[in-house]
Amino acid sequence: MSKKFSLEDIENDATIKRFLIIKTGLRPRTQESYIYEILHFCNYTNKSPTEIFEIHRTDLRERKAEFDQWLNDAFDNFVAHLIDSGYAYDSITLKISRVKGFLHAFKLKPTPVPTISKRRVLEDSKYALTVEDIRWAIKNVPLTYQTLFITQAQTGLSVSDALLLDVEDFIDAVSKRKENLTLEQALERVETSKGLIGCFDLRRKKTSVEFYTFAGPEVLKHMALLLRSRDAQYLKLDIPIFLKASFKTQNEWEDLRLTAAAVITFVTKLHNPKGKNVFPKIMVDGKKRNHFRTHKLRKWYSNRVHHDAGLSLEDTKYLMGQKTGDVVEYYINPNNYLSLLKKYKKALPFLSINEEIVIEENKELIEELKKENKMLKEQYEKDSRAKDEEIKNLKAKMNAEMEILKEENRLTRELVTELSKIAKKNR
């Protein structure tokens, strides 16, 4: 008879408890994702997490080839079952990655890599977001969502990561090293500075991802406007930047933060024919989908930064929180940090929503290029003058040597003539 594990069974499994201790620091939502996906796999295979752990550990100890491992067949059958059940490629990939992540936490590597059908119906490129789409969205939404959309467009943050930002993150983003600004000082700096670029350091957040990303002046100015619109009680350091629309009626501080689900609901309403109908629905694989979606803001950012501004794929992924792990040490090196900041400045014109601010932001870069160009020109002229002087001196030296040779030639001819006269007399 097949086993039927409950959620409680999985949570009480001894190996799962050890796994959660190892993974201390995971967001609650990520923990839930692991538990649910492992539950699905356990119910399909009729094995508990501990049994799966023991089987794979034994296979590795016995040095079984991948094709002989129990997990290899289990993954292949599970993937086939999921495809038959109508699961999409991304959903299947997530489920497999959670099981692999569970085993990898105990260093039970390698794990088999199942083949997953990559037949995915991609959205037609004609539906890609344009800067006009973003401007139109901003024009038709409240200040909170204006700021959120601009933040995603100029930082590449996912909606979940953007919603994690607190007031303290805003202050830190515009503070110089070892500077201890108050919120008022941070707001004044943003409001009075031209071309200020902030840095959101998300390495200290309780996530499995460690990265930082830059924020252009449009992001910072909109955040300043948003914070200025609030009463003092909603400006404490641990208060979220993005609050629920009903935050003034909330009693518990932890309930104030705007959620990703609420954002999705709001964006869906922008496509409601009975509402504002800001955007039309689009057809993808015979199904209606929202044209404007927060994830497409990340794609817009990625395309602008990588394809238009020319940043490497590795730099782009790091700024979006997709390329982490071993590369963190590389990017937190001060020299590499400054290099990445300079590249981000170069990318800002391509990320512009309000062009005037972004053009202002790049004056520093333009002036730097002008200065460098002037230095190169001066160096060229200096080198050219030195070359001309060298050629002039060389010509003078050659002329002097020619005169000496001429004189020596004249004296030689005279000597030959004199010797000829003496020889004639002696005859």
Side-chain angles (χ1 to χ4, degrees), residues 70-125:
W70 174 86
L71 192 61
N72 183 65
D73 290 338
F75 273 165
D76 285 345
N77 294 333
F78 186 51
V79 167
H81 163 71
L82 293 174
I83 292 174
D84 290 342
S85 300
Y87 283 90
Y89 173 87
D90 290 334
S91 297
I92 298 173
T93 302
L94 174 65
K95 290 177 181 294
I96 295 296
S97 70
R98 292 307 192 210
V99 177
K100 289 167 74 74
F102 162 65
L103 295 169
H104 290 174
F106 298 100
K107 298 182 173 60
L108 296 183
K109 301 178 183 179
T111 50
V113 180
T115 301
I116 305 173
S117 173
K118 292 188 177 181
R119 190 195 75 82
R120 290 193 279 179
V121 180
L122 299 177
E123 191 172 289
D124 195 311
S125 59

Short mmCIF file of all heavy atoms in Angstrom, two decimals, residues 70-125:
data_model
loop_
_atom_site.label_atom_id
_atom_site.label_comp_id
_atom_site.label_asym_id
_atom_site.label_seq_id
_atom_site.Cartn_x
_atom_site.Cartn_y
_atom_site.Cartn_z
N TRP A 70 19.52 4.98 -7.41
CA TRP A 70 18.07 5.02 -7.21
C TRP A 70 17.50 6.39 -7.54
O TRP A 70 16.44 6.50 -8.17
CB TRP A 70 17.74 4.67 -5.74
CG TRP A 70 16.28 4.82 -5.41
CD1 TRP A 70 15.30 3.90 -5.57
CD2 TRP A 70 15.65 5.99 -4.87
NE1 TRP A 70 14.08 4.41 -5.18
CE2 TRP A 70 14.27 5.70 -4.75
CE3 TRP A 70 16.10 7.25 -4.49
CZ2 TRP A 70 13.34 6.62 -4.25
CZ3 TRP A 70 15.19 8.19 -4.01
CH2 TRP A 70 13.83 7.86 -3.90
N LEU A 71 18.21 7.43 -7.16
CA LEU A 71 17.72 8.79 -7.36
C LEU A 71 17.59 9.13 -8.84
O LEU A 71 16.70 9.90 -9.24
CB LEU A 71 18.65 9.79 -6.67
CG LEU A 71 18.14 11.23 -6.54
CD1 LEU A 71 16.86 11.29 -5.73
CD2 LEU A 71 19.21 12.12 -5.91
N ASN A 72 18.45 8.55 -9.68
CA ASN A 72 18.39 8.81 -11.12
C ASN A 72 17.05 8.34 -11.69
O ASN A 72 16.37 9.10 -12.40
CB ASN A 72 19.54 8.09 -11.82
CG ASN A 72 19.57 8.38 -13.31
OD1 ASN A 72 19.79 9.51 -13.72
ND2 ASN A 72 19.35 7.36 -14.12
N ASP A 73 16.66 7.10 -11.37
CA ASP A 73 15.38 6.58 -11.86
C ASP A 73 14.21 7.33 -11.23
O ASP A 73 13.21 7.61 -11.89
CB ASP A 73 15.26 5.09 -11.54
CG ASP A 73 16.21 4.25 -12.37
OD1 ASP A 73 16.64 4.73 -13.44
OD2 ASP A 73 16.53 3.12 -11.95
N ALA A 74 14.36 7.66 -9.94
CA ALA A 74 13.28 8.37 -9.24
C ALA A 74 13.04 9.74 -9.87
O ALA A 74 11.88 10.15 -10.09
CB ALA A 74 13.63 8.54 -7.76
N PHE A 75 14.12 10.46 -10.19
CA PHE A 75 13.99 11.77 -10.83
C PHE A 75 13.34 11.64 -12.21
O PHE A 75 12.43 12.41 -12.56
CB PHE A 75 15.36 12.44 -10.96
CG PHE A 75 15.78 13.24 -9.76
CD1 PHE A 75 17.09 13.65 -9.61
CD2 PHE A 75 14.86 13.62 -8.78
CE1 PHE A 75 17.50 14.40 -8.49
CE2 PHE A 75 15.25 14.38 -7.68
CZ PHE A 75 16.57 14.75 -7.53
N ASP A 76 13.82 10.68 -13.02
CA ASP A 76 13.28 10.52 -14.37
C ASP A 76 11.78 10.21 -14.34
O ASP A 76 11.00 10.78 -15.11
CB ASP A 76 14.02 9.41 -15.10
CG ASP A 76 15.42 9.82 -15.55
OD1 ASP A 76 15.69 11.05 -15.56
OD2 ASP A 76 16.23 8.94 -15.88
N ASN A 77 11.39 9.31 -13.46
CA ASN A 77 9.97 8.95 -13.36
C ASN A 77 9.13 10.11 -12.81
O ASN A 77 8.01 10.33 -13.26
CB ASN A 77 9.81 7.72 -12.46
CG ASN A 77 10.42 6.47 -13.07
OD1 ASN A 77 10.52 6.35 -14.29
ND2 ASN A 77 10.85 5.54 -12.23
N PHE A 78 9.70 10.83 -11.85
CA PHE A 78 9.00 11.97 -11.25
C PHE A 78 8.77 13.07 -12.29
O PHE A 78 7.68 13.64 -12.39
CB PHE A 78 9.81 12.50 -10.07
CG PHE A 78 9.14 13.59 -9.27
CD1 PHE A 78 7.84 13.44 -8.80
CD2 PHE A 78 9.81 14.77 -8.98
CE1 PHE A 78 7.22 14.43 -8.05
CE2 PHE A 78 9.21 15.77 -8.23
CZ PHE A 78 7.91 15.60 -7.76
N VAL A 79 9.81 13.35 -13.10
CA VAL A 79 9.70 14.37 -14.15
C VAL A 79 8.64 13.98 -15.17
O VAL A 79 7.81 14.80 -15.58
CB VAL A 79 11.07 14.59 -14.84
CG1 VAL A 79 10.90 15.41 -16.12
CG2 VAL A 79 12.03 15.31 -13.90
N ALA A 80 8.65 12.70 -15.58
CA ALA A 80 7.64 12.22 -16.54
C ALA A 80 6.24 12.38 -15.97
O ALA A 80 5.30 12.79 -16.67
CB ALA A 80 7.92 10.77 -16.89
N HIS A 81 6.09 12.07 -14.69
CA HIS A 81 4.79 12.22 -14.01
C HIS A 81 4.35 13.69 -13.99
O HIS A 81 3.17 13.99 -14.26
CB HIS A 81 4.91 11.68 -12.58
CG HIS A 81 3.81 12.12 -11.67
ND1 HIS A 81 2.51 11.66 -11.77
CD2 HIS A 81 3.81 13.02 -10.63
CE1 HIS A 81 1.76 12.23 -10.84
NE2 HIS A 81 2.53 13.06 -10.14
N LEU A 82 5.27 14.58 -13.71
CA LEU A 82 4.94 16.01 -13.65
C LEU A 82 4.55 16.55 -15.02
O LEU A 82 3.62 17.36 -15.14
CB LEU A 82 6.12 16.79 -13.08
CG LEU A 82 6.48 16.52 -11.61
CD1 LEU A 82 7.76 17.25 -11.22
CD2 LEU A 82 5.34 16.94 -10.69
N ILE A 83 5.27 16.11 -16.05
CA ILE A 83 4.93 16.56 -17.41
C ILE A 83 3.54 16.09 -17.80
O ILE A 83 2.73 16.85 -18.34
CB ILE A 83 5.99 16.05 -18.42
CG1 ILE A 83 7.33 16.75 -18.18
CG2 ILE A 83 5.52 16.30 -19.86
CD1 ILE A 83 8.47 16.21 -19.01
N ASP A 84 3.25 14.82 -17.50
CA ASP A 84 1.92 14.27 -17.80
C ASP A 84 0.83 14.99 -17.01
O ASP A 84 -0.31 15.08 -17.45
CB ASP A 84 1.87 12.77 -17.45
CG ASP A 84 2.71 11.93 -18.40
OD1 ASP A 84 3.03 12.45 -19.50
OD2 ASP A 84 3.06 10.80 -18.04
N SER A 85 1.21 15.52 -15.85
CA SER A 85 0.24 16.22 -14.99
C SER A 85 0.05 17.68 -15.40
O SER A 85 -0.72 18.40 -14.78
CB SER A 85 0.68 16.14 -13.53
OG SER A 85 0.76 14.80 -13.09
N GLY A 86 0.80 18.10 -16.42
CA GLY A 86 0.62 19.46 -16.94
C GLY A 86 1.49 20.52 -16.30
O GLY A 86 1.26 21.73 -16.50
N TYR A 87 2.51 20.13 -15.51
CA TYR A 87 3.39 21.11 -14.89
C TYR A 87 4.30 21.75 -15.95
O TYR A 87 4.76 21.08 -16.87
CB TYR A 87 4.25 20.47 -13.80
CG TYR A 87 3.50 20.22 -12.51
CD1 TYR A 87 2.84 19.02 -12.29
CD2 TYR A 87 3.47 21.19 -11.51
CE1 TYR A 87 2.15 18.78 -11.10
CE2 TYR A 87 2.79 20.96 -10.32
CZ TYR A 87 2.13 19.77 -10.12
OH TYR A 87 1.45 19.54 -8.95
N ALA A 88 4.55 23.04 -15.76
CA ALA A 88 5.42 23.77 -16.69
C ALA A 88 6.89 23.47 -16.38
O ALA A 88 7.23 22.98 -15.30
CB ALA A 88 5.16 25.27 -16.58
N TYR A 89 7.74 23.81 -17.34
CA TYR A 89 9.19 23.56 -17.20
C TYR A 89 9.75 24.18 -15.93
O TYR A 89 10.48 23.53 -15.17
CB TYR A 89 9.90 24.13 -18.43
CG TYR A 89 11.41 24.10 -18.34
CD1 TYR A 89 12.13 22.98 -18.75
CD2 TYR A 89 12.12 25.20 -17.85
CE1 TYR A 89 13.51 22.94 -18.68
CE2 TYR A 89 13.50 25.17 -17.77
CZ TYR A 89 14.19 24.05 -18.17
OH TYR A 89 15.55 24.02 -18.09
N ASP A 90 9.42 25.46 -15.67
CA ASP A 90 9.97 26.16 -14.51
C ASP A 90 9.51 25.51 -13.20
O ASP A 90 10.29 25.42 -12.24
CB ASP A 90 9.56 27.63 -14.52
CG ASP A 90 10.27 28.42 -15.61
OD1 ASP A 90 11.37 27.99 -16.01
OD2 ASP A 90 9.72 29.43 -16.06
N SER A 91 8.27 25.06 -13.15
CA SER A 91 7.76 24.41 -11.94
C SER A 91 8.48 23.09 -11.68
O SER A 91 8.82 22.77 -10.54
CB SER A 91 6.25 24.16 -12.07
OG SER A 91 5.55 25.37 -12.19
N ILE A 92 8.71 22.33 -12.75
CA ILE A 92 9.41 21.05 -12.61
C ILE A 92 10.85 21.29 -12.16
O ILE A 92 11.36 20.60 -11.26
CB ILE A 92 9.39 20.27 -13.94
CG1 ILE A 92 7.94 19.95 -14.35
CG2 ILE A 92 10.21 18.99 -13.83
CD1 ILE A 92 7.82 19.33 -15.72
N THR A 93 11.49 22.28 -12.76
CA THR A 93 12.87 22.61 -12.39
C THR A 93 12.96 22.97 -10.92
O THR A 93 13.89 22.57 -10.21
CB THR A 93 13.39 23.77 -13.26
OG1 THR A 93 13.32 23.39 -14.64
CG2 THR A 93 14.83 24.11 -12.92
N LEU A 94 12.01 23.76 -10.44
CA LEU A 94 11.99 24.17 -9.03
C LEU A 94 11.86 22.95 -8.11
O LEU A 94 12.59 22.82 -7.12
CB LEU A 94 10.85 25.14 -8.77
CG LEU A 94 10.63 25.53 -7.30
CD1 LEU A 94 11.83 26.32 -6.77
CD2 LEU A 94 9.35 26.36 -7.15
N LYS A 95 10.94 22.04 -8.44
CA LYS A 95 10.72 20.87 -7.60
C LYS A 95 11.98 20.01 -7.51
O LYS A 95 12.37 19.56 -6.43
CB LYS A 95 9.55 20.04 -8.16
CG LYS A 95 8.19 20.72 -8.00
CD LYS A 95 7.09 19.89 -8.63
CE LYS A 95 5.74 20.59 -8.50
NZ LYS A 95 5.31 20.69 -7.08
N ILE A 96 12.63 19.79 -8.64
CA ILE A 96 13.86 18.99 -8.65
C ILE A 96 14.96 19.70 -7.87
O ILE A 96 15.70 19.08 -7.09
CB ILE A 96 14.33 18.71 -10.09
CG1 ILE A 96 13.30 17.82 -10.83
CG2 ILE A 96 15.70 18.06 -10.11
CD1 ILE A 96 13.14 16.43 -10.24
N SER A 97 15.07 21.03 -8.06
CA SER A 97 16.13 21.78 -7.38
C SER A 97 15.97 21.75 -5.87
O SER A 97 16.96 21.76 -5.13
CB SER A 97 16.17 23.23 -7.88
OG SER A 97 15.03 23.95 -7.44
N ARG A 98 14.73 21.72 -5.37
CA ARG A 98 14.50 21.66 -3.93
C ARG A 98 14.97 20.32 -3.35
O ARG A 98 15.57 20.27 -2.28
CB ARG A 98 13.02 21.89 -3.61
CG ARG A 98 12.49 23.29 -3.90
CD ARG A 98 13.32 24.35 -3.24
NE ARG A 98 12.68 25.66 -3.28
CZ ARG A 98 13.33 26.80 -3.32
NH1 ARG A 98 14.65 26.80 -3.36
NH2 ARG A 98 12.67 27.96 -3.32
N VAL A 99 14.69 19.24 -4.06
CA VAL A 99 15.14 17.92 -3.59
C VAL A 99 16.66 17.85 -3.63
O VAL A 99 17.31 17.37 -2.68
CB VAL A 99 14.52 16.79 -4.45
CG1 VAL A 99 15.05 15.44 -4.00
CG2 VAL A 99 13.00 16.83 -4.37
N LYS A 100 17.26 18.34 -4.71
CA LYS A 100 18.72 18.33 -4.83
C LYS A 100 19.33 19.22 -3.75
O LYS A 100 20.35 18.86 -3.14
CB LYS A 100 19.13 18.82 -6.22
CG LYS A 100 18.82 17.82 -7.35
CD LYS A 100 18.94 18.47 -8.71
CE LYS A 100 20.35 18.69 -9.13
NZ LYS A 100 21.04 17.43 -9.52
N GLY A 101 18.71 20.38 -3.49
CA GLY A 101 19.22 21.29 -2.47
C GLY A 101 19.19 20.65 -1.08
O GLY A 101 20.08 20.88 -0.26
N PHE A 102 18.15 19.88 -0.82
CA PHE A 102 18.02 19.17 0.45
C PHE A 102 19.20 18.21 0.63
O PHE A 102 19.86 18.19 1.69
CB PHE A 102 16.69 18.40 0.46
CG PHE A 102 16.58 17.30 1.48
CD1 PHE A 102 16.59 17.57 2.83
CD2 PHE A 102 16.45 15.97 1.06
CE1 PHE A 102 16.49 16.54 3.77
CE2 PHE A 102 16.34 14.94 1.98
CZ PHE A 102 16.37 15.23 3.34
N LEU A 103 19.54 17.44 -0.39
CA LEU A 103 20.64 16.49 -0.31
C LEU A 103 22.00 17.19 -0.30
O LEU A 103 22.92 16.78 0.41
CB LEU A 103 20.55 15.50 -1.46
CG LEU A 103 19.33 14.57 -1.45
CD1 LEU A 103 19.20 13.82 -2.77
CD2 LEU A 103 19.40 13.60 -0.27
N HIS A 104 22.12 18.25 -1.08
CA HIS A 104 23.39 18.97 -1.15
C HIS A 104 23.73 19.61 0.19
O HIS A 104 24.91 19.83 0.49
CB HIS A 104 23.33 20.04 -2.24
CG HIS A 104 23.30 19.47 -3.62
ND1 HIS A 104 23.12 20.26 -4.76
CD2 HIS A 104 23.41 18.20 -4.07
CE1 HIS A 104 23.13 19.48 -5.82
NE2 HIS A 104 23.31 18.23 -5.43
N ALA A 105 22.71 19.96 0.97
CA ALA A 105 22.96 20.57 2.29
C ALA A 105 23.79 19.64 3.17
O ALA A 105 24.52 20.09 4.05
CB ALA A 105 21.64 20.90 2.96
N PHE A 106 23.67 18.32 2.91
CA PHE A 106 24.43 17.33 3.68
C PHE A 106 25.68 16.87 2.92
O PHE A 106 26.29 15.85 3.26
CB PHE A 106 23.54 16.11 3.97
CG PHE A 106 22.34 16.44 4.82
CD1 PHE A 106 21.09 16.62 4.24
CD2 PHE A 106 22.47 16.58 6.19
CE1 PHE A 106 19.98 16.92 5.01
CE2 PHE A 106 21.35 16.89 6.97
CZ PHE A 106 20.11 17.06 6.39
N LYS A 107 26.00 17.63 1.86
CA LYS A 107 27.18 17.33 1.02
C LYS A 107 27.06 15.99 0.31
O LYS A 107 28.07 15.34 0.00
CB LYS A 107 28.47 17.37 1.86
CG LYS A 107 28.74 18.76 2.45
CD LYS A 107 30.05 18.77 3.23
CE LYS A 107 30.39 20.19 3.67
NZ LYS A 107 29.39 20.82 4.53
N LEU A 108 25.85 15.56 0.05
CA LEU A 108 25.62 14.32 -0.70
C LEU A 108 25.62 14.65 -2.19
O LEU A 108 24.59 14.72 -2.85
CB LEU A 108 24.30 13.67 -0.27
CG LEU A 108 24.22 13.20 1.18
CD1 LEU A 108 22.89 12.52 1.45
CD2 LEU A 108 25.36 12.24 1.50
N LYS A 109 26.82 14.87 -2.71
CA LYS A 109 26.99 15.24 -4.11
C LYS A 109 27.89 14.21 -4.79
O LYS A 109 28.74 13.60 -4.14
CB LYS A 109 27.63 16.63 -4.22
CG LYS A 109 26.86 17.75 -3.57
CD LYS A 109 27.63 19.06 -3.70
CE LYS A 109 26.93 20.20 -2.99
NZ LYS A 109 27.68 21.47 -3.10
N PRO A 110 27.73 14.04 -6.11
CA PRO A 110 26.75 14.71 -6.97
C PRO A 110 25.39 14.05 -6.89
O PRO A 110 25.25 12.94 -6.39
CB PRO A 110 27.35 14.56 -8.37
CG PRO A 110 28.09 13.25 -8.28
CD PRO A 110 28.64 13.17 -6.89
N THR A 111 24.41 14.75 -7.43
CA THR A 111 23.07 14.18 -7.60
C THR A 111 22.78 14.10 -9.09
O THR A 111 23.26 14.94 -9.85
CB THR A 111 22.01 15.04 -6.91
OG1 THR A 111 22.17 16.41 -7.31
CG2 THR A 111 22.11 14.94 -5.39
N PRO A 112 22.01 13.12 -9.53
CA PRO A 112 21.70 12.98 -10.97
C PRO A 112 21.01 14.23 -11.52
O PRO A 112 20.29 14.94 -10.80
CB PRO A 112 20.77 11.78 -11.02
CG PRO A 112 21.04 11.01 -9.77
CD PRO A 112 21.39 12.04 -8.73
N VAL A 113 21.25 14.47 -12.79
CA VAL A 113 20.61 15.61 -13.47
C VAL A 113 19.59 15.07 -14.45
O VAL A 113 19.95 14.54 -15.50
CB VAL A 113 21.66 16.47 -14.21
CG1 VAL A 113 20.97 17.64 -14.91
CG2 VAL A 113 22.74 16.95 -13.25
N PRO A 114 18.31 15.16 -14.11
CA PRO A 114 17.28 14.61 -15.02
C PRO A 114 17.10 15.48 -16.25
O PRO A 114 17.37 16.68 -16.24
CB PRO A 114 16.02 14.62 -14.15
CG PRO A 114 16.23 15.76 -13.21
CD PRO A 114 17.70 15.78 -12.91
N THR A 115 16.64 14.87 -17.31
CA THR A 115 16.32 15.60 -18.53
C THR A 115 14.88 16.11 -18.44
O THR A 115 13.96 15.32 -18.24
CB THR A 115 16.48 14.70 -19.77
OG1 THR A 115 17.83 14.23 -19.82
CG2 THR A 115 16.15 15.47 -21.04
N ILE A 116 14.73 17.41 -18.55
CA ILE A 116 13.39 18.01 -18.49
C ILE A 116 13.09 18.65 -19.84
O ILE A 116 13.90 19.42 -20.37
CB ILE A 116 13.33 19.09 -17.39
CG1 ILE A 116 13.76 18.50 -16.04
CG2 ILE A 116 11.92 19.68 -17.28
CD1 ILE A 116 13.88 19.52 -14.92
N SER A 117 11.96 18.33 -20.39
CA SER A 117 11.58 18.89 -21.68
C SER A 117 11.58 20.41 -21.60
O SER A 117 10.99 21.01 -20.71
CB SER A 117 10.18 18.40 -22.08
OG SER A 117 9.74 19.07 -23.24
N LYS A 118 12.27 21.03 -22.55
CA LYS A 118 12.37 22.49 -22.54
C LYS A 118 11.40 23.15 -23.51
O LYS A 118 11.59 24.27 -23.95
CB LYS A 118 13.80 22.93 -22.87
CG LYS A 118 14.79 22.55 -21.78
CD LYS A 118 16.15 23.15 -22.05
CE LYS A 118 17.12 22.83 -20.92
NZ LYS A 118 18.45 23.42 -21.13
N ARG A 119 10.36 22.43 -23.85
CA ARG A 119 9.36 23.03 -24.74
C ARG A 119 8.56 24.07 -23.95
O ARG A 119 7.70 23.76 -23.14
CB ARG A 119 8.39 21.98 -25.28
CG ARG A 119 7.49 22.52 -26.41
CD ARG A 119 6.32 21.61 -26.67
NE ARG A 119 5.31 21.72 -25.64
CZ ARG A 119 4.40 22.68 -25.61
NH1 ARG A 119 4.40 23.62 -26.53
NH2 ARG A 119 3.49 22.72 -24.65
N ARG A 120 8.96 25.31 -24.18
CA ARG A 120 8.29 26.39 -23.46
C ARG A 120 7.72 27.37 -24.48
O ARG A 120 8.40 27.75 -25.43
CB ARG A 120 9.26 27.12 -22.55
CG ARG A 120 9.70 26.29 -21.37
CD ARG A 120 10.40 27.14 -20.34
NE ARG A 120 11.78 27.37 -20.70
CZ ARG A 120 12.61 28.11 -19.97
NH1 ARG A 120 12.19 28.68 -18.88
NH2 ARG A 120 13.86 28.29 -20.35
N VAL A 121 6.51 27.77 -24.28
CA VAL A 121 5.90 28.75 -25.17
C VAL A 121 6.31 30.12 -24.68
O VAL A 121 5.87 30.58 -23.62
CB VAL A 121 4.36 28.62 -25.16
CG1 VAL A 121 3.75 29.66 -26.09
CG2 VAL A 121 3.95 27.22 -25.58
N LEU A 122 7.23 30.73 -25.42
CA LEU A 122 7.73 32.04 -25.01
C LEU A 122 6.82 33.15 -25.50
O LEU A 122 6.19 33.05 -26.54
CB LEU A 122 9.14 32.25 -25.56
CG LEU A 122 10.20 31.23 -25.09
CD1 LEU A 122 11.52 31.51 -25.78
CD2 LEU A 122 10.36 31.30 -23.58
N GLU A 123 6.80 34.21 -24.73
CA GLU A 123 5.99 35.36 -25.09
C GLU A 123 6.62 36.05 -26.30
O GLU A 123 7.85 36.19 -26.39
CB GLU A 123 5.96 36.33 -23.90
CG GLU A 123 4.96 37.45 -24.02
CD GLU A 123 4.87 38.23 -22.72
OE1 GLU A 123 4.32 37.67 -21.74
OE2 GLU A 123 5.35 39.35 -22.67
N ASP A 124 5.81 36.45 -27.25
CA ASP A 124 6.29 37.11 -28.45
C ASP A 124 7.07 38.37 -28.06
O ASP A 124 6.65 39.13 -27.19
CB ASP A 124 5.09 37.51 -29.34
CG ASP A 124 5.54 37.87 -30.75
OD1 ASP A 124 6.50 38.66 -30.89
OD2 ASP A 124 4.94 37.36 -31.70
N SER A 125 8.24 38.57 -28.70
CA SER A 125 9.09 39.71 -28.36
C SER A 125 8.40 41.06 -28.59
O SER A 125 8.80 42.07 -28.02
CB SER A 125 10.39 39.66 -29.17
OG SER A 125 10.11 39.68 -30.56
#
